[in-house]
Amino acid sequence: IFFFFLIELMDVKATADYLRLSTSAVYKLIKNKKIKHIRIGRKVVFTKQLLNEFLLSNIVEKENYGRKELYI
């Protein structure tokens, strides 16, 4: 028995919306190899898992009056 899991692929626009960045900022992350992505032909796509890994791997904590702020 084979199990196939559907993975939702997100394009650059959807990724920019998800990360609350501009599309040019996402392209810059791709160009500088800062974010993992999948290429299908010339199209660049992402999974939410890749994006969440990116977010978690770029957490910088800064103490600010007892609060921790997230910088990416």
Side-chain angles (χ1 to χ4, degrees):
I1 298 175
F2 293 97
F3 294 97
F4 293 96
F5 297 96
L6 296 177
I7 298 173
E8 181 183 351
L9 298 177
M10 300 169 65
D11 63 4
V12 172
K13 172 70 173 116
T15 297
D17 292 342
Y18 185 74
L19 297 177
R20 297 182 181 175
L21 297 172
S22 66
T23 55
S24 60
V26 174
Y27 281 117
K28 193 175 200 177
L29 290 170
I30 295 167
K31 180 181 176 185
N32 295 327
K33 299 181 181 178
K34 300 284 186 180
I35 190 168
K36 292 181 182 178
H37 57 280
I38 301 165
R39 284 203 181 266
I40 301 174
R42 294 179 62 199
K43 189 170 178 83
V44 176
V45 294
F46 303 85
T47 64
K48 282 191 179 179
Q49 180 181 354
L50 288 176
L51 298 177
N52 290 334
E53 288 173 8
F54 167 75
L55 289 173
L56 291 173
S57 68
N58 286 286
I59 291 176
V60 177
E61 294 179 1
K62 177 182 175 186
E63 290 292 332
N64 186 11
Y65 303 106
R67 295 185 322 214
K68 289 186 178 179
E69 297 182 4
L70 176 66
Y71 293 91
I72 299 174

